[in-house]
């Protein structure tokens, strides 16, 4: 939400250009350093950031917070002040979104959300690129979110406003997105409890794990509550015939998505994962030019 619509479209188009013309792998980030503070696990986000910096001629430093003084109680504000005097951008994956905002407030350089409990915006850049590449502009399209109203869902809500598509959310009661965010996005977002009803005529269907990082203890309970929310072939058959399926990954086949849907031809999850790299490159270049 810190980037306007034109800036977001510019990043998507640049990501597509970088993907299609590997010769654009220039040295635009030469001598630049990205610090990566991670308090949660990651495969895609970490590798995408590190490879992006390498391909653009810069450097990255991975900081598992437990190995830093942050993990021993040095205040977030002080860590931000120190790191931002040495590096050109910082990315953070953490639990409380407020920690990320506090970090950004005290940083002298751009701070990128690599996932918090509330949002996962970098994933949405990759998702938007994937839609644009496969089907063209997402403006006016019908997107259905099936599952937990957590970080990925809330980033879809923000994307619905920024990219002007209609988002239908099918989540069990008690797992809704933040009411204030729902109210703020009401022109683009609605909740439909029945997932089969929600996917009807969708251009894109997407979901995420039922128990996110930090919710491991609730996993057993969540498996029961979300049991009717699996995206399977029967559910996908209600969407438009050419509807795409997205998943930010990692996926749990047999839980939020059936193996048949995840591995079907209209599931573009591997492309979506690859696009994490291209959108990271475009985002880092953009922040560098600002
Ligand atoms: N989709 C995503 O963010 O994956 P990682 O947790 O592997 O980074
Ligand atoms: N909602 C998931 C996304 C993982 C990329 C989580 O927060 O664990």
């Amino acid at each position: 939400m810190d980037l306007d619509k034109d800036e977001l479209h510019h990043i998507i188009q640049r990501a597509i250009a970088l993907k299609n013309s590997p010769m654009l792998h220039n040295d635009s980030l030469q001598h630049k350093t990205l610090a990566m503070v991670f308090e949660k696990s990651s495969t895609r986000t970490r590798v995408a950031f590190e490879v992006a910096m390498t391909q653009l001629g810069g450097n990255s430093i991975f900081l598992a917070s437990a190995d830093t003084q942050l993990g021993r109680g040095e205040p977030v504000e002080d860590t931000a002040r120190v790191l931002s005097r040495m590096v050109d951008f910082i990315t953070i994956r953490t639990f409380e979104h407020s920690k990320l905002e506090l970090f950004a407030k005290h940083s002298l350089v751009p701070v990128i959300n690599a996932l918090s409990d509330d949002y996962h915006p970098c994933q949405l850049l990759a998702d938007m690129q994937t839609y644009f590449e496969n089907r063209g502009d997402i403006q006016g399209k019908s997107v259905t979110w099936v599952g937990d109203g957590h970080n990925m869902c809330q980033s879809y809500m923000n994307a619905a406003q920024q990219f002007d598509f209609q988002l239908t959310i099918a989540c069990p009661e008690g797992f809704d997105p933040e009411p204030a965010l729902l109210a703020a996005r009401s022109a683009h977002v609605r909740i439909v409890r029945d997932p089969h009803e929600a996917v009807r005529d969708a251009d894109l269907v997407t979901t995420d794990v039922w128990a996110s990082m930090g919710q491991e203890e609730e996993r057993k309970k969540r498996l029961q509550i979300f049991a009717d929310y699996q995206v399977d072939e029967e559910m996908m058959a209600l969407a438009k015939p050419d509807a795409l399926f997205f998943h930010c990954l990692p996926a749990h086949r047999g839980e939020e998505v059936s193996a048949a849907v995840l591995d079907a031809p209209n599931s573009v999850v591997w492309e979506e994962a690859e696009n994490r790299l291209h959108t990271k490159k475009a985002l880092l270049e953009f922040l560098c030019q600002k």
Side-chain angles (χ1 to χ4, degrees):
M1 297 305 292
D2 288 338
L3 304 188
D4 67 29
K5 293 174 189 188
D6 287 347
E7 291 171 330
L8 289 167
H9 281 89
H10 162 81
I11 288 171
I12 302 300
Q13 292 310 321
R14 178 66 178 162
I16 293 170
L18 285 165
K19 181 178 182 177
N20 293 337
S21 306
M23 293 312 285
L24 289 176
H25 292 184
N26 52 22
D27 286 337
S28 56
L29 299 186
Q30 203 177 13
H31 306 309
K32 302 284 182 195
T33 304
L34 169 72
M36 302 169 53
V37 180
F38 275 55
E39 297 192 316
K40 288 176 174 170
S41 305
S42 172
T43 299
R44 282 144 286 267
T45 308
R46 176 182 176 174
V47 174
F49 269 122
E50 293 193 10
V51 175
M53 287 304 291
T54 304
Q55 290 190 356
L56 296 176
N59 237 312
S60 57
I61 304 174
F62 184 77
L63 299 160
S65 71
D67 298 338
T68 67
Q69 298 291 3
L70 192 60
R72 296 181 63 247
E74 184 168 12
V76 170
E77 300 90 313
D78 294 355
T79 308
R81 290 181 178 113
V82 172
L83 284 183
S84 67
R85 281 167 183 262
M86 298 189 196
V87 304
D88 302 280
F89 2 66
I90 299 167
T91 183
I92 307 181
R93 171 167 283 203
T94 190
F95 294 86
E96 310 90 336
H97 191 73
S98 55
K99 190 188 270 192
L100 217 148
E101 287 182 332
L102 185 63
F103 201 108
K105 190 171 159 206
H106 294 277
S107 171
L108 301 168
V109 299
V111 174
I112 306 166
N113 181 358
L115 181 146
S116 69
D117 285 346
D118 290 355
Y119 300 106
H120 194 9
C122 289
Q123 179 69 49
L124 263 293
L125 290 179
D127 287 23
M128 292 302 101
Q129 179 185 347
T130 310
Y131 194 91
F132 274 71
E133 285 177 329
N134 282 279
R135 297 282 186 270
D137 200 338
I138 197 163
Q139 183 175 29
K141 300 291 180 183
S142 178
V143 177
T144 300
W145 174 269
V146 182
D148 195 6
H150 193 54
N151 47 12
M152 273 299 300
C153 176
Q154 297 202 144
S155 277
Y156 259 95
M157 293 167 73
N158 285 343
Q161 177 160 309
Q162 299 296 68
F163 289 89
D164 195 19
F165 58 81
Q166 293 301 316
L167 178 67
T168 303
I169 298 171
C171 55
E173 256 174 271
F175 296 86
D176 291 4
E178 279 299 316
L181 185 65
L182 258 179
R185 302 282 171 270
S186 60
H188 290 92
V189 180
R190 64 179 181 144
I191 291 188
V192 172
R193 293 283 167 216
D194 176 358
H196 291 90
E197 192 51 43
V199 299
R200 204 170 287 283
D201 295 326
D203 297 288
L204 166 64
V205 178
T206 183
T207 185
D208 185 18
V209 291
W210 290 340
S212 286
M213 291 182 278
Q215 299 172 337
E216 289 77 8
E217 282 175 14
E218 296 173 30
R219 190 176 143 74
K220 234 174 119 184
K221 189 184 87 187
R222 283 169 169 268
L223 289 187
Q224 288 170 356
I225 295 171
F226 284 86
D228 293 336
Y229 287 76
Q230 181 184 97
V231 180
D232 57 14
E233 283 174 300
E234 188 200 331
M235 198 184 283
M236 278 304 287
L238 297 169
K240 291 217 177 104
D242 67 343
L244 293 173
F245 176 76
F246 284 6
H247 192 310
C248 66
L249 305 178
H252 292 83
R253 289 175 176 81
E255 291 183 17
E256 75 276 3
V257 59
S258 68
V261 166
L262 191 73
D263 300 318
N266 63 342
S267 162
V268 286
V269 297
W270 312 120
E271 258 179 72
E272 190 187 348
E274 178 190 329
N275 287 340
R276 298 298 306 279
L277 169 63
H278 309 298
T279 47
K280 290 277 185 291
K281 289 167 73 174
L283 174 65
L284 289 163
E285 268 190 352
F286 170 81
L287 292 174
C288 195
Q289 286 154 6
K290 269 199 100 131

